[in-house]
Each structure stands twice: as structure tokens, then as C-alpha cells.
């Protein structure tokens, strides 16, 4: 649900929403044991409850918001809390930031919105990717104007070929020639020395990663290369689905939980197990199966590998089956806020597909 900030909370970390204000607004509750990390803090309210604070601003829910995506409380002194990872980052002309899921975080982009990559070779000798080599045919230096002024994490490197090139945190910046549209990150995995220029990396379990698999593109896999799948609703009566567009909402995934794959199913679709000391973070949650096993979920959906896959295989993609949804999950999808009645009651069609970042 949408979180809000209150303009009258002028002093950092102090909530002025008390009394009648709390009839419409509920403090964003921080669970026991939660503590400060990065931009986040926790305050204790007068009634003893604990409330999340983001960059000094206490966070609230509007009680009239009923469906995921509602933002009815915006206006006046109340504003939807915005996530601006670039706040405080000094940028240079022609360089901005964009959240790119396939890159695994918030990334620097050029004036056209194309992904920027950092070169993690010897930054003191940028000629490693210099004119005439195979590298330069694919990796294009981000030119700095003659009057460019270094600032923040940005500096200028003078290359042996006479080009002045921007660098970030001492590492030269490049675009990749196969990236032709914003959000493209075809440079991932081409050369280990080149990585997206992330200013904030999203959380990911240590045994998961993003890999490009032909013909699906960037998907989540285990570090050993096993494709990760989710059990999703079949959204149309047509054969085939574009899983990069036609996939269920996090609310649907949470309602289904692990119940659509019982112990018999789990011999073929193996739960992606979360270690005993793992903690949920960002898009990643931890579900508990009927046998007590802890299982990773991503954007609401439980994750699995497919028994017949070898590393790099996608044999489980677009595998269809029937599940008695109300009996399995205890929830009729038609009763979920904001979700169209596509499965309905009784037996519903579900399908397995690879997971996009």
C-alpha cells in the first residue's frame, strides 16, 4: 500500500500526527527488532508503537486506500513518499539515473537514457579499452566536453586517443553498441570487466543472480545457472503468454503462497530454499512451506527450480496445469482487491514461467 509523508513533521524523526489525525492515517509500523539502516530509521511513538522513518520523514498509510496502487491521500500537507536514490548524488550534464531491474539496481544513464557501464580494469591505464582494439568497437567512451568540471564522484580521464572521458568513482564510463533503447542492458555478461554503473544495487540472495538466456532475455537464476520459475495465473484463453508482460500482481502471488505446489509437486518443481539465517529485503520475501521449509519469494511469488533443467535450460517455461485454487490457497482470486476475475472459483489454469528481474 502507498506510504505517505506529512508536511507538518518538520523536525526530522518527529511525528506530529496524533489524536484525530490518526483516525485517517496509520503510522507505518516497524516490526520488533527492526533498526536503522542506510536512509531508514525507527522512532517510538507516545503509545509505545514503532514507526518507520525514511530520510527523516515518518511514514504513514491512508486508511481509505483499499487497493494496491491507491493514492487517495495525496494533497494538502500529505504526499506520497517518493523513492529518489539519486538524492544527494552530484550529477554532470548529460548524465542521469534510472531504475533498471535487469541491471539489478539504479544505474547511471547518458543523455539518451542508454545504460552506462563502468570499466573495472586498471583505471590508471584506460588504453586497455583504447582505439584500435576489439574492445572499442563495442564499448563507446562517454565523452566529456572540453569545459567539463569534475564534481562529486565524477572525474575526467584523458585517453591516449585524445578523447576526454567521464569516469565515475575513478572508473571510465562507456555505453555498449547493442544497447539501442533505454532500459537495454545487453552489455551484461559480455566482458566481466564491464558492469552497469550502479549507484544503488537491489538486494538479492547470495545464491541468486540475473542471467541472459536465449531466447527469454534477462531472467533470475541460481548462481549455478538453474532457471528460477514462478507458478502464475493463465491470463487469457489463448495459447502462449508473454511472461514479461502477462504476469500476476504481488497480491496474487502472496495469496497463492506455496499452496499451489504441494509435496508431490515439489519433487518436480523444487522450492528455492532460503537459509535459516536469511532475512527478507526489498522485493525478496521468505515463505514457510507446510513441512517447515523456508522458501524464497520474489515480488510476491514463491520461487522454484525445475527438476528436468540443467544449468542454462528453460524446459519448465510455459508449462501449464490445473489447480483447485480456493482449496489450495484458501482465497478466491475474484475477492482479491484490484485483481480481475480471471481464474475464478474451482479449478483454475496456472502456468509456470521464468522470472524476470
Amino acid at each position: 500500500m502507498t506510504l505517505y509523508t506529512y508536511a507538518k513533521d518538520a523536525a526530522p524523526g518527529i511525528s506530529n500526527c496524533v489524536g484525530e489525525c490518526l483516525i485517517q492515517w496509520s503510522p507505518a509500523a516497524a516490526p520488533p527488532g527492526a533498526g536503522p539502516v542506510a536512509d531508514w530509521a525507527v522512532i517510538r511513538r507516545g503509545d509505545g508503537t514503532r514507526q518507520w522513518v525514511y530520510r527523516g520523514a515518518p511514514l504513514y498509510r491512508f486508511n481509505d486506500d483499499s487497493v494496491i496502487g491507491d493514492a487517495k491521500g495525496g494533497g494538502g500537507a500529505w504526499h506520497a513518499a517518493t523513492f529518489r536514490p539519486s538524492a544527494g548524488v552530484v550529477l554532470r550534464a548529460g548524465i542521469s539515473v534510472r531504475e533498471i531491474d535487469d541491471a539489478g539496481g539504479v544505474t547511471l544513464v547518458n543523455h539518451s537514457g542508454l545504460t552506462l557501464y563502468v570499466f573495472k580494469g586498471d583505471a590508471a591505464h584506460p588504453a586497455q579499452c583504447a582505439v584500435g582494439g576489439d574492445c572499442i568497437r563495442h564499448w563507446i567512451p562517454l565523452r566529456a566536453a572540453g569545459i567539463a568540471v569534475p564534481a562529486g564522484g565524477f572525474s575526467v580521464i584523458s585517453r591516449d586517443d585524445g578523447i576526454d572521458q567521464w569516469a565515475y568513482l575513478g572508473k571510465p564510463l562507456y555505453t555498449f553498441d547493442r544497447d539501442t533503447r533505454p532500459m537495454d542492458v545487453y552489455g551484461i555478461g559480455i566482458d566481466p570487466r564491464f558492469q552497469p554503473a550502479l549507484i544503488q544495487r537491489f538486494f538479492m540472495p547470495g545464491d541468486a543472480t540475473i542471467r541472459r538466456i536465449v531466447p527469454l532475455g534477462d531472467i533470475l537464476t541460481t548462481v549455478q545457472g538453474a532457471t528460477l520459475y514462478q507458478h502464475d495465473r493463465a491470463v487469457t484463453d489463448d495459447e502462449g503468454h508473454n511472461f514479461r508482460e502477462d504476469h500476476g500482481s504481488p497480491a496474487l502471488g502472496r495469496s497463492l503462497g506455496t499452496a499451489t505446489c504441494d509435496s508431490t509437486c515439489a519433487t518436480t518443481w523444487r522450492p528455492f530454499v532460503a537459509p535459516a539465517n536469511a532475512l527478507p529485503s526489498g522485493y525478496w520475501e521468505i515463505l514457510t512451506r507446510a513441512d517447515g521449509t523456508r522458501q524464497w519469494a520474489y515480488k510476491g511469488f514463491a520461487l522454484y527450480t525445475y527438476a528436468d533443467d540443467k544449468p542454462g535450460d528453460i524446459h519448465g517455461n510455459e508449462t501449464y496445469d490445473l489447480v483447485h485454487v480456493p482449496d489450495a490457497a484458501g482465497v478466491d482470486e475474484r475477492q482479491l482487491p484490484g485483481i480481475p476475475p480471471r481464474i475464478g472459483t474451482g479449478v483454475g489454469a496456472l502456468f509456470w514461467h521464468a522470472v524476470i528481474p
Side-chain angles (χ1 to χ4, degrees), residues 143-189:
R143 291 175 177 259
I147 58 173
V149 177
F154 293 90
S155 57
V156 177
I157 292 176
S158 296
R159 296 166 51 89
D160 294 343
D161 53 11
I163 294 175
D164 287 336
Q165 179 180 7
W166 280 116
Y168 182 64
L169 299 180
K171 296 179 174 59
L173 289 170
Y174 296 82
T175 54
F176 182 58
D177 63 351
R178 287 186 56 202
D179 290 346
T180 59
R181 298 176 300 176
M183 312 294 284
D184 283 351
V185 281
Y186 292 112
I188 291 180

Side-chain angles (χ1 to χ4, degrees), residues 169-307:
L169 299 180
K171 296 179 174 59
L173 289 170
Y174 296 82
T175 54
F176 182 58
D177 63 351
R178 287 186 56 202
D179 290 346
T180 59
R181 298 176 300 176
M183 312 294 284
D184 283 351
V185 281
Y186 292 112
I188 291 180
I190 299 297
D191 184 327
R193 298 175 301 171
F194 290 87
Q195 300 293 331
L198 295 174
I199 65 169
Q200 185 171 68
R201 185 179 299 276
F202 295 156
F203 169 80
M204 185 171 291
D207 50 353
T209 188
I210 299 172
R211 291 193 179 179
R212 174 156 285 123
I213 303 291
V214 177
L216 300 185
D218 292 318
I219 61 174
L220 294 181
T221 72
T222 68
V223 293
Q224 293 79 22
T227 299
L228 290 172
Y229 298 90
Q230 68 185 52
H231 208 187
D232 204 346
R233 58 179 166 80
V235 297
T236 70
D237 295 330
D238 300 326
E239 286 296 323
H241 294 86
N242 181 351
F243 75 94
R244 301 193 76 87
E245 298 175 1
D246 301 335
H247 54 82
S249 72
L252 172 61
R254 293 187 186 102
S255 75
L256 298 176
T258 64
T260 62
C261 188
D262 59 16
S263 58
T264 301
C265 162
T267 61
T268 300
W269 298 94
R270 296 167 178 169
F272 185 38
V273 175
N277 62 347
L279 296 174
S281 181
Y283 293 129
W284 293 82
E285 304 166 63
I286 297 176
L287 308 178
T288 302
R289 297 184 59 81
D291 62 2
T293 302
R294 287 157 51 88
Q295 180 176 359
W296 282 116
Y298 182 72
K299 294 185 178 179
F301 283 87
L303 298 182
Y304 302 82
T305 57
Y306 185 51

Side-chain angles (χ1 to χ4, degrees), residues 131-152:
V131 65
D134 181 68
C135 172
I136 201 62
R137 290 201 292 269
H138 302 288
W139 301 96
I140 304 163
L142 181 64
R143 291 175 177 259
I147 58 173
V149 177

